[in-house]
């Protein structure tokens, strides 16, 4: 049974952000933000749920089953002003990249998805 | 002033380029047979110390504590990281070497790598052969390699047309050369006897208004757009101009359906590959 991240009763969880890492860069103690499901030849061979606290053993299992990446939750200790400034920089860069884009439905939907992704 | 580069000139130029990496043909021919593919590929890699070194480095990076010994040979490394990863490393390293010998910028190889990874991730969701998607992504801009190699100054003019006048790449190339890198790339793919589906993806990956029937072509088109949209590698002139509705529909992609995992995986894998393979 995988470990789950614990929060003291009555205590709000600290702000966190998602980070996608190659599995070779995972370290024990990291917490999965999203489930990891590894399929080999169309069959689910290994999975870990969101909230799992990673151990050396579980990381070794992910690697042995060929998992490429995992999304972890890490505490976001940045001041609010810094968070806003960095998000703004990302969104400005996106606006520049899409500045000559044709306004097709797919292009607009992709831009909206990327803006949402960069806000996390 | 417009040069006129003919199809015959492209074929003749192909003979003068550095030899196309044989490993790519070898991998394409053994895709259907994992058993034979692993043994033959590992034996092949033994003869290439650069690729063998990178395979071993990846295997050692995958080791977790517990007192396991460092991996020192390709056969043991293969057991750790699997055939798929070995193919990726072999393909990427050999193409990086080919583009270096063809005197293209490091950016060409890094962009090709980003599109290969994105195409593979998209292809995996769409039921495509991941190896085919990776190879098509690596080769999608190979026509630019030819143009830059034989006409470096004219090729720079096309870059200026894109960066300063805001033309899209294919329009700029056609104004200078009379054809674009998609057409040049498809002629090269034909010369190198690559599969038709890969040649098609190379030819039309920028095409607008296509009747999208090939999932591989659609995957390379979307992958190229994503590599620019995610700024991989980061370049001031990364631009998204056109994402074909037909391509995303054929692949079953819905950008409203939380594609954050797709974006994150592409970024994470590109970062690792760039660090390991440069």
């Amino acid at each position: 049974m995988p470990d789950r991240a614990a929060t003291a009763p009555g205590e709000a969880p600290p702000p966190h952000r998602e980070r996608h890492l190659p599995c070779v860069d995972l370290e024990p103690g990291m917490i999965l933000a999203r489930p990891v499901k590894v399929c080999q030849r169309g069959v689910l061979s290994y999975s870990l749920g969101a909230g799992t606290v990673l151990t050396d053993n579980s990381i070794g299992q992910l690697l042995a089953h060929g998992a490429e990446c995992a999304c972890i939750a890490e505490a976001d200790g940045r001041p609010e002003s810094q968070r806003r400034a960095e998000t703004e920089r990302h969104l400005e860069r996106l606006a520049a990249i899409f500045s000559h884009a044709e306004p097709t439905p797919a292009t607009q939907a992709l831009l909206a998805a990327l803006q949402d992704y960069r806000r996390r | 002033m417009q040069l006129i580069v003919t199809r015959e000139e492209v074929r003749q130029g192909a003979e003068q380029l550095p030899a196309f990496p044989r490993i790519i043909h070898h991998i394409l021919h053994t895709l259907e047979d994992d058993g034979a593919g692993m043994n033959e590929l590992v034996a092949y890699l033994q003869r290439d110390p650069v690729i063998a070194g990178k395979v071993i480095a990846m295997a050692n990076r995958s080791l977790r504590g517990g007192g396991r010994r460092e991996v020192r040979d390709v056969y043991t490394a293969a057991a750790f990281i699997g055939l798929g990863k070995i193919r990726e490393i072999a393909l990427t390293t050999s193409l990086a070497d080919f583009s270096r010998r063809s005197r293209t910028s490091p950016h060409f190889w890094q962009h090709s790598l980003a599109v290969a990874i994105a195409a593979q991730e998209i292809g995996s969701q769409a039921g495509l052969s991941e190896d085919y998607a990776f190879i098509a992504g690596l080769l999608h801009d190979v026509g630019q390699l030819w143009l830059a190699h034989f006409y470096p100054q004219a090729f720079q003019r096309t870059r200026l047309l894109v960066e300063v006048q805001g033309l899209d790449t294919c329009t700029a190339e056609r104004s200078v050369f009379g054809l674009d890198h998609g057409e040049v790339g498809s002629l090269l793919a034909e010369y190198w006897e690559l599969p038709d589906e890969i040649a098609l993806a190379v030819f039309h990956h920028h095409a607008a208004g296509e009747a999208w029937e090939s999932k591989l072509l659609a995957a390379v088109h979307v992958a190229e757009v994503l590599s620019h949209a995610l700024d991989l590698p980061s370049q001031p002139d990364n631009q998204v101009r056109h994402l074909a509705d037909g391509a995303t529909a054929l692949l079953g992609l819905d950008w409203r359906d939380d594609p954050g995992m797709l974006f994150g995986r592409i970024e994470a894998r590109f970062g690792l590959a760039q660090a390991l393979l440069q």
Side-chain angles (χ1 to χ4, degrees):
Chain A
M1 184 81 167
D3 293 329
R4 302 271 163 183
T7 306
E11 191 177 281
H16 73 277
R17 56 176 169 172
E18 294 183 351
R19 200 152 68 101
H20 296 262
L21 292 178
C23 286
V24 293
D25 289 342
L26 295 175
E27 295 290 340
M30 288 180 173
I31 301 168
L32 289 181
R34 300 196 189 206
V36 177
K37 295 179 182 176
V38 188
C39 290
Q40 291 176 340
R41 299 183 190 274
V43 178
L44 182 68
S45 63
Y46 190 69
S47 68
L48 290 172
T52 301
V53 179
L54 294 172
T55 62
D56 209 43
N57 180 54
S58 57
I59 295 170
Q61 289 291 322
L62 284 172
L63 291 167
H65 283 86
E68 293 259 21
C69 303
C71 182
I72 61 151
E74 62 178 14
D76 190 350
R78 296 173 297 169
E80 179 61 28
S81 56
Q82 183 184 347
R83 243 199 314 265
R84 267 204 299 267
E86 287 179 14
T87 301
E88 200 50 47
R89 246 194 328 272
H90 284 308
L91 295 178
E92 280 172 7
R93 181 67 188 127
L94 266 180
I97 288 170
F98 278 77
S99 60
H100 294 290
E102 294 171 15
T104 62
T107 313
Q108 296 306 303
L110 175 61
L111 175 58
L114 284 161
Q115 288 167 335
D116 186 51
Y117 174 67
R118 291 301 186 206
R119 288 190 184 102
R120 294 185 194 167
Chain B
M1 187 178 94
Q2 190 188 55
L3 299 164
I4 299 294
V5 173
T6 65
R7 297 165 67 89
E8 187 52 35
E9 185 182 354
V10 172
R11 291 191 189 96
Q12 287 174 2
E15 294 171 15
Q16 297 169 41
L17 283 175
F20 187 69
R22 279 190 230 151
I23 187 78
I24 295 180
H25 284 119
H26 177 90
I27 288 172
L28 282 168
H29 288 140
T30 57
L31 280 179
E32 298 303 317
D33 186 345
D34 279 359
M38 175 72 103
N39 294 331
E40 287 181 33
L41 184 58
V42 171
Y44 198 104
L45 295 182
Q46 295 267 68
R47 302 197 292 268
D48 189 321
V50 174
I51 298 179
K54 292 191 188 296
V55 168
I56 291 170
M58 177 62 110
N60 281 315
R61 195 159 171 174
S62 301
L63 285 176
R64 307 304 300 182
R68 286 186 198 164
R69 285 196 194 156
E70 190 180 89
V71 172
R72 294 189 182 188
D73 66 273
V74 178
Y75 282 97
T76 308
F80 268 113
I81 64 177
L83 182 59
K85 188 55 67 180
I86 292 176
R87 283 180 184 146
E88 278 177 38
I89 294 171
L91 289 166
T92 310
T93 308
S94 60
L95 185 72
D97 179 61
F98 176 69
S99 55
R100 182 186 52 78
R101 286 184 289 121
S102 304
R103 301 196 304 265
T104 54
S105 72
H107 168 73
F108 172 83
W109 165 76
Q110 290 175 19
H111 169 68
S112 300
L113 177 60
V115 174
I117 289 171
Q120 193 179 53
E121 288 289 332
I122 293 165
S124 160
Q125 292 186 16
L128 278 175
S129 158
E130 292 179 25
D131 294 298
Y132 250 54
F134 192 82
I135 292 170
L138 278 182
L139 295 175
H140 78 288
D141 271 350
V142 73
Q144 288 195 329
L145 184 154
W146 190 101
L147 293 171
H149 182 86
F150 291 104
Y151 293 101
Q153 289 180 335
F155 186 72
Q156 279 310 309
R157 275 210 307 278
T158 69
R159 301 314 308 159
L160 285 174
L161 288 171
V162 171
E163 289 160 26
V164 175
Q165 292 191 25
L167 291 184
D168 71 86
T169 300
C170 292
T171 302
E173 289 168 354
R174 282 193 294 269
S175 74
V176 173
F177 295 109
L179 42 61
D180 61 45
H181 70 276
E183 188 169 358
V184 174
S186 73
L187 292 168
L188 292 173
E190 195 180 290
Y191 177 80
W192 290 324
E193 298 179 357
L194 296 176
D196 291 343
E197 209 179 354
I198 290 179
L200 182 75
V202 170
F203 198 163
H204 291 297
H205 66 275
H206 280 291
E210 271 285 312
W212 296 91
E213 291 175 359
S214 161
K215 277 191 176 181
L216 183 63
L217 167 58
V220 173
H221 168 78
V222 175
E224 165 116 66
V225 170
L226 279 186
S227 74
H228 286 288
L230 291 168
D231 215 6
L232 300 173
S234 183
Q235 289 282 306
D237 60 351
N238 276 337
Q239 287 269 301
V240 169
R241 299 252 177 185
H242 171 80
L243 175 59
D245 294 332
T248 55
L250 182 65
L251 295 167
L253 288 169
D254 186 349
W255 303 115
R256 297 164 300 179
D257 195 17
D258 191 17
M261 284 297 287
L262 174 65
F263 299 154
R265 286 179 60 89
I266 293 170
E267 287 187 321
R269 287 188 57 197
F270 178 72
L272 177 65
Q274 206 181 21
L276 193 71
L277 295 168
Q278 68 185 12

